[in-house]
Amino acid sequence: MEDSRVPTSAPLSTWLAELAQPSGAPGGGAACGVMVGLAAALLGMVAEYTPGDVRAAECAARLVDHRAAALKAAEEDGIRSVEFGAALAMPADDPERDRRVRDAAVVAARSSAALGDAGRSLLPELVLLAEIGNPSLKADLAVAAEALTAGIAGACVNISANLQTARKYGASASALSGSEAAHALLNDAKKETAAIADQISARFTADAQ
């Protein structure tokens, strides 16, 4: 399955072309990771455009690592997606199919949780830059918040879908508890990032009046 990896270092046009193919690698989960990576990059730009503040400089350095972590999670999720798809494609009368689908769904849920956690880790950086960021880049900050919200929201959707499949195929409560807890945390993070995005966007309305 490692051969199914589509590196996020590929040209954007190539990566998007691969995303459009019926291969599952990359798939919707990997797309969520890329959205988180985009959010990290935009936040990094805002931090870099905020000179003279040590907090912004430290934030910019952290965001480099956040961006790399998001892209790594996106690549890994593509592999898990292929494994899941391979399990689902097994013949219905194969005695191993139910177990393979169940196990792949559990792993896929954990992978989606890892993607979401990469997004959730950006929340403190977003909060900081909403406070100290260069006001000339508030539009970029708003786009970063929207991208982050979308990435986390997508991870929540994927966790829910994977958990549903895992339960259908008999996964135990203990095998799913970690992903269920992650979903709850991510749902809260999604609401918080969306609220911040709305607050930033509201400044444009206030300025226009």
Side-chain angles (χ1 to χ4, degrees):
M1 292 300 176
E2 292 293 326
D3 292 339
S4 64
R5 183 189 300 273
V6 178
T8 51
S9 58
L12 180 59
S13 59
T14 299
W15 196 89
L16 291 176
E18 291 293 336
L19 180 62
Q21 299 304 308
S23 64
C32 292
V34 170
M35 283 188 278
V36 171
L38 287 170
L42 282 167
L43 291 174
M45 182 175 71
V46 174
E48 294 286 3
Y49 268 113
T50 307
D53 191 314
V54 66
R55 293 173 298 172
E58 292 171 348
C59 177
R62 290 191 299 270
L63 285 164
V64 173
D65 293 334
H66 285 305
R67 187 172 73 241
L71 296 184
K72 180 179 179 181
E75 289 186 12
E76 291 296 329
D77 190 80
I79 296 171
R80 305 290 83 81
S81 180
V82 170
E83 293 171 347
F84 196 6
L88 289 168
M90 293 176 68
D93 59 355
D94 190 318
E96 286 293 304
R97 184 178 186 274
D98 284 5
R99 180 188 64 79
R100 287 276 301 277
V101 171
R102 180 187 67 237
D103 292 349
V106 170
V107 171
R110 292 170 182 166
S111 178
S112 296
L115 273 172
D117 195 55
R120 191 167 65 91
S121 68
L122 290 178
L123 186 50
E125 314 296 358
L126 174 61
V127 171
L128 175 64
L129 291 172
E131 175 189 349
I132 69 170
N134 187 332
S136 297
L137 274 78
K138 60 186 177 182
D140 300 288
L141 187 62
V143 173
E146 295 286 4
L148 183 56
T149 302
I152 294 174
C156 284
V157 169
N158 286 330
I159 293 172
S160 294
N162 295 329
L163 288 175
Q164 183 181 64
T165 301
R167 292 189 189 100
K168 178 181 177 181
Y169 285 87
S172 66
S174 60
L176 303 180
S177 60
S179 295
E180 289 171 341
H183 184 273
L185 290 173
L186 292 176
N187 197 48
D188 289 342
K190 175 188 68 175
K191 294 175 182 177
E192 189 168 352
T193 55
I196 293 173
D198 288 345
Q199 291 168 6
I200 299 170
S201 295
R203 299 175 191 173
F204 300 119
T205 303
D207 290 347
Q209 293 176 345

